[in-house]
Amino acid sequence: MTIARSYRGKVPHRGFAVKAVCFAAASALAGPAAALKLGSDNPDLEMVLDTTARYNAAWRTGERDLRLVGSPAVDEGNWLFDKNDQVLSRIDLYSEFDLTWRKDVGLRVSAAAWGDTNFPDKSRSDPRFAAAPNYPNNDFTPYIDRHYKGPSGEFLDAFAWGNVRLGSTSMNVKVGRFAWLPGEFLFSNGGSFTYSMAPNDGRKSDLSPGSSAKETALPIGQLAATWQLNNEFSVMGQYTAEFRSSRISEGGTFWSVGDTALEGPPFISNPAVPRVAPFLGDKGDVALGVKWSPAKLDGDSLGLWVRKFDDKTPTWQNQVRIDGAARSGRAVYAKGIELVGLTYNTGAFGLSTGFELNYRRKMPLNVRSGFAFGTGTGLVDDPGMEGPRGNTIHFLASSVVTLNKNALFDSGSIALQFDAMRLQKITSGASLYNGEGGNTACVDELVLRGCSTRHAASIGANFTATWQQLFPSVDLSVPVFLTYGLKGNAAAVGAGITPEGSWLFRPGVRVEWLVGQYKHQFDLSYTARGGKTGELDNGAGAVNGHGGAALFNASGLANFRDRNYLSFTYQTAF
């Protein structure tokens, strides 16, 4: 299958993998669709305006576990709300306008607006770390106020398109700001050849459950084309004209992985390490692909892609520069990643199934946490600020099956995705790599210590059962999402693989009520997370992570097991 303009997660490092999981579950939700056709006397001209209104509320259900709040780098997000507190009361509006002329040319503009009356003015520190908040005086910065409290808004898509005849062939061309993700993934594209083809708004996935993939795949300025040479071959290409980074939940907020990231907190460590402007990627990403759908394969298709791109995730979030006694820190985005990938999709056995295999050179690897490096005065294009890199192999398989009416429900669906990766070799910055062959502390209990491993794999599944017309004009569905880490900790940044033993479980109930031409959708879901925990010898007195006092450690999603939550979503479209 091919999913255009969709995205299901990306992961800059082990901790950020958590956010990909949350996004994956959120993207499994689908909003009501409606469209308003604007009047025109010209039959060649078609204009459509579609607006989705959504309200989200959420409540924390987990009691704070102080063993998970071991430093001022992770306290404010956990302390912002207590058990049973409402953590979200947010309204979102999303509007799309499409204009088409004779179905040959057109343009599209979309915009979003939001506001949350529940978001506080101040962050909240653990009393043990009150002297070193990541926000001075615990006052949230204007960036946080805008993106969390609002009211605010932004334009998203803004592009024109056209279909061109070239002899016996045809070409579709798009130019402007849009997101294009033509992969075989369902939940996360970390293992897909489409990794970083478009930035992801993981923050909105957290704050607005029920957001469509169109809302959370951030558009990027580009020129893209698909050239249909004949019934069997097509050629595709992309060239980006700007760089935009992915968004993650900001430090000190309820869904944050750590308090130090990314655009909101002015300190990596207060006051010793102020945060300065990030070292961003550049424009000029290139992607070229060819798709072969021979008649003898009866609808199956093979694809080959070659790409060179800069990472859109905040690759290494907290790089610290040393300049004498002074310190400063910033996020650094890896440049010049090279990829070659194969795809195959098939409808065999009544299943819609896709496979991807890709090899990446100069892929950014997970960096040792809190490791200071980079010297001198340079903060622009300073190679000393780079983290570790390596060559990696990524594989994913996904499948969707629809279920017919049976004794239990009227209809249903099952979606599965398996991801795996292998670190082929470390090519630079080995001493900075947080894993086997890098950090010398990574010699045992690798997963629990948070060390990356050479191999990693995980699986995600979504099952939905539906009862149609349970009451007049009312459908009832029960969506259930689960992801589980099968092996290791992924070595590559953004691999989209849940750490071994980590899990996220999200059961829910959905009611769709049709009133006239408008559908009203209500979702209620509960999100629970967990993973490996235990005591290691990396407490007080440890040398290189060993030989110290016993210390409680949590791996992957276990770091969020005390922040489970209940969420409610209402949305409609007009």
Side-chain angles (χ1 to χ4, degrees):
M1 71 227 74
T2 295
I3 302 173
R5 281 205 93 266
S6 68
Y7 175 70
R8 291 153 183 151
K10 57 185 55 175
V11 193
H13 61 61
R14 179 182 60 86
F16 193 57
V18 170
K19 313 314 293 178
V21 169
C22 298
F23 175 63
S27 64
L29 302 174
L36 174 64
K37 287 194 174 183
L38 304 180
S40 170
D41 294 332
N42 191 329
D44 293 328
L45 178 64
E46 182 177 289
M47 294 182 292
V48 176
L49 177 64
D50 187 1
T51 298
T52 299
R54 182 183 310 112
Y55 172 74
N56 279 291
W59 297 265
R60 177 173 182 165
T61 61
E63 191 73 59
R64 184 174 300 111
D65 184 346
L66 291 179
R67 296 176 301 174
L68 300 176
V69 192
S71 80
V74 294
D75 66 319
E76 289 167 82
N78 201 318
W79 274 81
L80 188 61
F81 296 106
D82 297 327
K83 181 181 179 181
N84 298 326
D85 281 353
Q86 184 170 3
V87 302
L88 188 67
S89 180
R90 174 174 163 125
I91 293 175
D92 283 274
L93 294 175
Y94 175 66
S95 288
E96 310 161 82
F97 173 73
D98 289 278
L99 182 151
T100 304
W101 174 258
R102 292 181 177 176
K103 301 188 185 302
D104 286 329
V105 295
L107 63 85
R108 173 184 169 84
V109 178
S110 65
W114 60 85
D116 184 347
T117 58
N118 186 70
F119 194 79
D121 295 325
K122 287 178 170 289
S123 69
R124 185 182 175 204
S125 298
D126 184 320
R128 296 172 295 172
F129 310 122
N134 288 87
Y135 294 89
N137 301 315
N138 288 106
D139 291 325
F140 280 123
T141 55
Y143 182 92
I144 297 296
D145 287 341
R146 181 198 170 199
H147 289 279
Y148 282 82
K149 180 183 291 183
S152 190
E154 63 183 348
F155 283 101
L156 295 172
D157 288 332
F159 68 91
W161 60 268
N163 295 321
V164 182
R165 296 294 301 176
L166 299 172
S168 60
T169 69
S170 63
M171 178 181 290
N172 174 266
V173 180
K174 293 179 181 177
V175 60
R177 265 191 169 182
F178 59 95
W180 186 37
L181 293 169
E184 304 296 334
F185 61 96
L186 293 175
F187 303 135
S188 165
N189 78 337
S192 169
F193 77 87
T194 64
Y195 172 72
S196 267
M197 273 185 90
N200 168 50
D201 193 346
R203 186 169 61 219
K204 187 165 188 176
S205 299
D206 289 337
L207 296 176
S208 189
S211 298
S212 67
K214 293 184 293 185
E215 298 175 71
T216 56
L218 289 171
I220 188 170
Q222 61 183 296
L223 170 66
T226 300
W227 189 6
Q228 191 70 45
L229 300 176
N230 52 45
N231 290 335
E232 294 190 353
F233 283 98
S234 59
V235 179
M236 297 152 283
Q238 175 200 47
Y239 180 83
T240 61
E242 65 173 345
F243 178 85
R244 298 188 75 192
S245 63
S246 294
R247 297 170 178 171
I248 63 174
S249 282
E250 292 291 330
T253 63
F254 179 71
W255 277 275
S256 63
V257 173
D259 292 340
T260 60
L262 179 68
E263 304 288 340
F267 292 98
I268 290 177
S269 177
N270 184 7
V273 187
R275 180 175 288 277
V276 297
F279 176 20
L280 298 172
D282 293 326
K283 64 180 181 181
D285 288 0
V286 176
L288 293 173
V290 58
K291 185 177 180 180
W292 180 41
S293 306
K296 61 185 178 183
L297 289 185
D298 194 25
D300 295 2
S301 63
L302 292 159
L304 170 65
W305 285 84
V306 178
R307 294 180 57 209
K308 185 172 183 179
F309 60 96
D310 293 348
D311 200 354
K312 307 301 181 298
T313 62
T315 313
W316 303 295
Q317 296 180 15
N318 299 319
Q319 306 293 73
V320 177
R321 181 182 69 106
I322 303 170
D323 187 11
R327 302 286 186 274
S328 62
R330 65 175 179 173
V332 176
Y333 294 76
K335 296 184 177 183
I337 303 166
E338 299 169 352
L339 178 151
V340 57
L342 298 170
T343 68
Y344 178 72
N345 66 47
T346 177
F349 309 110
L351 304 176
S352 177
T353 305
F355 301 93
E356 290 196 34
L357 179 67
N358 60 81
Y359 178 76
R360 305 175 192 176
R361 291 185 66 247
K362 301 175 65 178
M363 188 64 185
L365 306 178
N366 290 322
V367 68
R368 294 170 61 178
S369 176
F371 194 82
F373 53 92
T375 59
T377 58
L379 267 182
V380 178
D381 296 342
D382 182 353
M385 299 296 282
E386 280 265 324
R389 300 240 199 176
N391 298 337
T392 57
I393 299 172
H394 302 256
F395 172 80
L396 77 80
S398 64
S399 188
V400 176
V401 58
T402 57
L403 305 174
N404 296 324
K405 184 173 182 176
N406 54 53
L408 298 178
F409 45 80
D410 292 340
S411 62
S413 65
I414 299 174
L416 296 167
Q417 180 170 323
F418 170 78
D419 288 272
M421 73 149 292
R422 169 185 166 83
L423 171 62
Q424 198 70 7
K425 69 175 182 179
I426 304 170
T427 55
S428 63
S431 63
L432 306 177
Y433 173 55
N434 187 42
E436 295 172 292
N439 186 349
T440 53
C442 296
V443 293
D444 63 354
E445 299 285 356
L446 298 181
V447 173
L448 192 53
R449 291 185 188 276
C451 298
S452 296
T453 55
R454 184 168 291 275
H455 299 91
S458 69
I459 190 168
N462 190 84
F463 166 74
T464 301
T466 300
W467 294 264
Q468 295 164 340
Q469 296 295 299
L470 187 66
F471 302 104
S473 302
V474 174
D475 293 343
L476 175 69
S477 299
V478 177
V480 179
F481 177 80
L482 172 67
T483 186
Y484 184 77
L486 300 171
K487 183 177 179 61
N489 273 331
V493 169
I497 295 176
T498 304
E500 180 179 329
S502 285
W503 54 269
L504 181 149
F505 180 58
R506 175 176 287 165
V509 176
R510 173 178 300 163
V511 174
E512 295 173 294
W513 181 26
L514 186 62
V515 180
Q517 60 180 321
Y518 300 110
K519 181 185 290 185
H520 302 268
Q521 180 173 307
F522 305 86
D523 286 277
L524 185 67
S525 64
Y526 178 71
T527 300
R529 295 163 286 188
K532 288 189 174 183
T533 61
E535 291 192 344
L536 298 173
D537 62 344
N538 55 356
V543 177
N544 198 20
H546 294 274
L551 181 69
F552 177 80
N553 282 252
S555 168
L557 291 166
N559 286 288
F560 303 90
R561 65 179 191 167
D562 63 345
R563 276 187 270 176
N564 297 336
Y565 58 94
L566 179 71
S567 62
F568 167 79
T569 302
Y570 163 74
Q571 57 184 328
T572 188
F574 50 87

